[in-house]
Amino acid sequence: MARSRLLRVGVLASGRGSNLQAIIDASEGGKLNAAVVVVVSDKADAYALERARRHGIKGVFVDPKGCASRQAFDKALIDALTEHQVELVCLAGYMRVLTAAFINHFRHRVMNIHPALLPSFPGLHGQRQALKHGVKFSGCTVHFADEGVDTGPIIIQAVVPVFDDDSEETLAARILRYEHQIYPRAIQLYAEGRLHVRGRHVTCQGSEADRAPTEGWGYIHP
Ligand code: GRF
C-alpha cells in the first residue's frame, strides 16, 4: 500500500485493549493509512496503556479524581488528544459516556465499537443482552459516536450466529474476532476519505468487491 500521510488516531480505552491491539497490528502491518499516536485511559492500570508502551506509543492516564466535573475531565481528554494532533478518536472499550462538548469538538471524528447489532442491545453487556433475548444472530457495530449511548450513525456491522449452547464467553469470543476485523477496516475507509455522513446514514464509496462476505461464521457489511 502506498504510505502517504498517515491519519493520526487517538484511542480511548479503559480495559484490556484487544481492539487497540488489532488497530496497532493493522497499522504496523502496513494495512492502514493510519497510526495510533496516543492512547488515553481513565484507568491507571488499564492493560491498554501497557500495550501502548510495548509499541512505543504515548500512553496518557487522565485521573477522573483529579477533575472537578465530567466537563473538566473531557476537557483534559481533548487537551491530551489535541496535543498529539489527533484527527480521529477511536473508543475501544472506553467505559465513560462522553460529554456533548467532547462530541461537538470532534463531530463525526469519534468512532466506537459495540459488541451487538445496534440499535439492538446498546449499553453494557451487549452479548449478555443478546443471549437473554434469544436472538439467533448477533454481531458487532462500528459507528460514529454522538451524544447518546451507542446511538450514532452506523459505519460497518458484522453478523455472527448465536448457538443454543452459547455462553456469554463463547458468544463474546465469536463476536470479538469480527470486532478486530471491522474496526481497522472502518478506520481505513475513513483514512481513505470514503465515508460520508448524512444524518443517520453513512455511505461508503467503493467497489462492490469491497462488499464481499468474509469466510467463516460471520458476514461483514460493507
Ligand atoms: C469490546 O467488546 C468492545 O466492543 C466493547 O468493549 C470491549 C472492549 O474490549 N466496547 P477490548 O478492551 O478492546 O479488548
Side-chain angles (χ1 to χ4, degrees):
M1 177 194 302
R3 305 289 284 176
S4 53
R5 196 186 74 77
L6 297 181
L7 179 79
R8 297 178 69 83
V9 173
V11 175
L12 300 189
S14 303
R16 67 185 168 180
S18 73
N19 278 287
L20 164 68
Q21 189 69 53
I23 296 165
I24 292 171
D25 290 347
S27 174
E28 290 185 350
K31 295 182 186 140
L32 277 189
N33 291 104
V36 179
V37 293
V38 65
V39 175
V40 184
S41 185
D42 59 328
K43 299 265 191 260
D45 59 354
Y47 191 61
L49 288 175
E50 170 63 16
R51 291 186 196 266
R53 197 188 59 72
R54 289 184 186 188
H55 289 268
I57 296 167
K58 181 77 190 291
V60 177
F61 164 54
V62 180
D63 190 350
K65 292 198 194 87
C67 299
S69 63
R70 277 183 67 216
Q71 282 68 21
F73 179 76
D74 276 14
K75 175 71 171 61
L77 295 184
I78 292 172
D79 289 347
L81 295 164
T82 305
E83 187 185 326
H84 292 85
Q85 290 139 41
V86 164
E87 297 165 289
L88 177 69
V89 180
C90 291
L91 311 180
Y94 180 67
M95 300 307 286
R96 286 171 188 270
V97 178
L98 293 163
T99 57
F102 186 99
I103 295 294
N104 273 326
H105 189 92
F106 291 107
R107 178 68 61 184
H108 293 157
R109 293 195 291 138
V110 185
M111 285 185 187
N112 182 41
I113 183 141
H114 183 73
L117 292 177
L118 293 172
S120 292
F121 315 129
L124 292 176
H125 307 304
Q127 305 94 333
R128 191 184 301 172
Q129 293 183 60
L131 281 178
K132 203 168 162 207
H133 196 90
V135 293
K136 301 301 184 195
F137 290 90
S138 190
C140 45
T141 304
V142 177
H143 63 95
F144 285 113
D146 65 8
E147 287 82 354
V149 175
D150 304 322
T151 50
I154 290 169
I155 303 168
I156 298 187
Q157 293 185 303
V159 179
V160 304
V162 180
F163 299 126
D164 290 348
D165 60 354
D166 263 332
S167 64
E168 199 176 330
E169 288 70 33
T170 58
L171 178 59
R174 192 175 306 120
I175 292 172
L176 193 63
R177 208 180 120 205
Y178 285 90
E179 294 186 37
H180 296 165
Q181 294 182 48
I182 68 174
Y183 215 167
R185 179 167 166 71
I187 294 167
Q188 180 59 17
L189 292 174
Y190 183 94
E192 291 173 3
R194 289 165 62 186
L195 298 179
H196 300 281
V197 188
R198 201 188 299 162
R200 283 217 52 83
H201 295 263
V202 182
T203 51
C204 172
Q205 281 177 327
S207 68
E208 284 304 306
D210 280 345
R211 293 167 187 267
T214 52
E215 88 300 344
W217 288 119
Y219 183 95
I220 293 176
H221 179 73

